[in-house]
Amino acid sequence: MIRKNISPRNGWQQKLENSGFLFHTPDGETYWNESVCYELSLKESNAIEDATNALLEICHKGVEAVIERGWHERLGIHSHEADLIQKSWDLDHLSIYGRFDLSWDFKAPPKMLEFNADTPTSLFEASVIQWQWLEEVFPHYDQFNSIHEKLIKRWNEVANRQKTLHFTSLMNHADDISQTEYLRDTAHQAGFQTEFIFIEDLGYDFSRNQYVDLDDRPIEQCFKLYPWEWLSQEQFGKYINLDKTKFVEPAWKRIMSSKAFLPILWELNPGHPNLLPSFFERPTTGKVVEKPFVSREGNQIKIWENGATKLRTEGFSEDSRSIYQAYHELPCFDGRYPVLGSWVVGESSAGLGIREDSSVVTQSTSHFVPHYLSSRRK
């Protein structure tokens, strides 16, 4: 993989905004960065694809093991959530997407840092925006990116086209709204009737035992860009009836979204080439990364070496419990550390989005950088 300095397109900001990508420079800080790009070989993209498919397979087997063995408490999952997880698994509710964050030093196979399984972000820029960039800047080259086409196809496997498909996210979160609307557009292209409603506006009709929208219409299937650990603990969370409302992502994705899933995966697959050793107890020697069971955007991460703290990030963590994962050095390009966001749609690898940071811990200050494949299109 090669990091290249290039000239941004003239009027790139307006081009992004014309495509609906409004948070390229939030609060004046760079997020989308097209003054650089990454070049990958076809061999490298194939390695990422193979690792992603292998990881997805063991993650699904890991979910099955957690459910069958009743390991919910090990992941910090409450009994009410466990009931929803079991129900969604029994009903065979399908997943639409997810994003593995991978570290790759190009000496050993790519390693899984975590799986953003329930509410993964940076989808719109990975799927559409960097493809548009490619078409204009490197039109004769390809990209590891079939996300858009696979999403359209997947909706017909996940949802019922004869019923309205609602989409919901938080108010006043521009990036969440943009991603949700993008997914809604892919469902519309798949032939679905769709409606958008903010999560704060969801209603509950006790006479029908069902969620309803602002027009009092039943919500029978709903994509939510809102974590299950929040939804299940809301005022009306205890009334969720999966027989009446089918949610995407399904409740069983809650298992994968806990960092506590990492040591369970290692326990079930010791020595797997795409996993890093992970534990519930901190080793007294070596270099490890401490991660809260539930946290976002690199908040409350600690790096330990031989029992001493070497790095600590600030921010809010939703859980005081932590796991410990073997430290794996990210590659460094001109003082930037890239994390490979490898997307899955349905049951297979779908594409790549790269975020880089000046820190070895990727945080909310990271930049999204587009990529292309070095081999020309046929």
Side-chain angles (χ1 to χ4, degrees):
M1 191 163 79
I2 302 171
R3 187 177 189 266
K4 293 187 171 183
N5 293 301
I6 59 173
S7 298
R9 293 169 294 170
N10 291 329
W12 64 269
Q13 298 96 329
Q14 190 60 53
K15 291 179 180 180
L16 298 186
E17 291 168 15
N18 289 344
S19 297
F21 187 51
L22 306 179
F23 52 98
H24 52 75
T25 316
D27 300 320
E29 299 293 331
T30 300
Y31 171 58
W32 170 269
N33 183 11
E34 62 175 69
S35 65
V36 294
C37 67
Y38 282 92
E39 176 187 294
L40 282 79
S41 69
L42 184 60
K43 182 178 179 180
E44 288 169 335
S45 69
N46 287 340
I48 296 169
E49 182 178 22
D50 291 344
T52 300
N53 288 331
L55 286 167
L56 188 62
E57 181 179 358
I58 65 170
C59 281
H60 285 161
K61 290 180 179 178
V63 169
E64 187 174 18
V66 169
I67 292 173
E68 289 182 349
R69 303 179 194 189
W71 284 349
H72 303 91
E73 287 188 6
R74 299 183 70 191
L75 289 97
I77 293 174
H78 301 292
S79 58
H80 174 57
E81 294 179 277
D83 292 340
L84 290 172
I85 288 167
Q86 182 72 58
K87 182 74 171 179
S88 69
W89 189 257
D90 291 344
L91 291 172
D92 197 27
H93 286 176
L94 299 179
S95 165
I96 188 80
Y97 72 151
R99 190 193 78 232
F100 285 101
D101 282 348
L102 306 177
S103 171
W104 194 14
D105 59 9
F106 307 99
K107 300 173 184 176
K111 305 295 184 182
M112 172 183 170
L113 299 175
E114 60 188 52
F115 187 26
N116 299 273
D118 187 16
T119 56
T121 54
S122 75
L123 176 69
F124 184 42
E125 49 269 44
S127 175
V128 174
I129 300 303
Q130 70 167 343
W131 181 262
Q132 293 177 345
W133 166 88
L134 177 81
E135 293 281 77
E136 189 169 346
V137 179
F138 292 102
H140 301 299
Y141 289 84
D142 212 339
Q143 190 175 78
F144 181 18
N145 186 0
S146 59
I147 301 170
H148 186 77
E149 297 81 2
K150 288 184 175 179
L151 283 170
I152 294 172
K153 180 181 178 181
R154 183 62 172 171
W155 281 117
N156 284 301
E157 300 166 349
V158 169
N160 185 341
R161 205 193 303 198
Q162 304 308 312
K163 299 177 180 180
T164 298
L165 180 55
H166 284 78
F167 286 77
T168 186
S169 65
L170 284 166
M171 293 180 183
N172 304 319
H173 284 71
D175 51 347
D176 284 7
I177 295 170
S178 177
Q179 170 153 307
T180 304
E181 287 286 23
Y182 167 61
L183 281 162
R184 182 185 172 197
D185 180 63
T186 61
H188 179 74
Q189 291 186 49
F192 284 80
Q193 175 66 40
T194 66
E195 294 288 343
F196 181 88
I197 181 173
F198 288 115
I199 195 80
E200 294 90 339
D201 291 331
L202 287 179
Y204 195 85
D205 186 328
F206 286 96
S207 65
R208 287 181 281 178
N209 193 25
Q210 188 162 27
Y211 283 96
V212 294
D213 64 18
L214 290 172
D215 294 317
D216 204 35
R217 292 174 298 187
I219 298 176
E220 298 177 283
Q221 47 188 4
C222 181
F223 170 86
K224 49 145 206 70
L225 193 63
Y226 193 72
W228 269 107
E229 63 266 22
W230 295 358
L231 183 62
S232 62
Q233 301 304 315
E234 295 283 0
Q235 179 182 0
F236 298 114
K238 61 184 178 182
Y239 301 116
I240 293 173
N241 185 342
L242 297 182
D243 290 316
K244 292 289 189 72
T245 304
K246 181 179 182 179
F247 285 96
V248 182
E249 292 293 284
W252 56 263
K253 294 293 286 290
R254 168 72 172 94
I255 292 174
M256 298 183 187
S257 67
S258 171
K259 304 294 192 301
F261 191 51
L262 296 171
I264 287 178
L265 277 182
W266 182 250
E267 180 180 321
L268 295 171
N269 306 273
H272 191 284
N274 300 122
L275 292 177
L276 292 169
S278 300
F279 314 95
F280 284 103
E281 300 293 332
R282 178 166 57 86
T284 56
T285 59
K287 197 170 184 179
V288 295
V289 181
E290 179 180 347
K291 299 180 177 182
F293 277 22
V294 180
S295 68
R296 292 170 176 80
E297 297 182 336
N299 290 340
Q300 288 293 309
I301 302 296
K302 298 177 186 176
I303 297 179
W304 297 82
E305 187 168 11
N306 297 325
T309 306
K310 294 298 182 181
L311 183 148
R312 180 197 304 260
T313 64
E314 302 299 325
F316 172 73
S317 170
E318 299 169 36
D319 203 312
S320 59
R321 294 162 295 183
S322 297
I323 62 95
Y324 303 87
Q325 183 183 59
Y327 181 82
H328 190 264
E329 190 75 42
L330 290 169
C332 183
F333 296 85
D334 301 324
R336 308 291 293 186
Y337 298 90
V339 167
L340 306 178
S342 186
W343 288 93
V344 296
V345 175
E347 307 299 323
S348 63
S349 172
L352 177 68
I354 300 174
R355 290 173 301 143
E356 59 174 26
D357 205 298
S358 58
S359 167
V360 293
V361 178
T362 304
Q363 302 176 73
S364 60
T365 55
S366 66
H367 298 171
F368 188 101
V369 176
H371 77 276
Y372 71 97
L373 301 182
S374 57
S375 56
R376 287 179 175 268
R377 295 176 183 171
K378 294 181 180 179

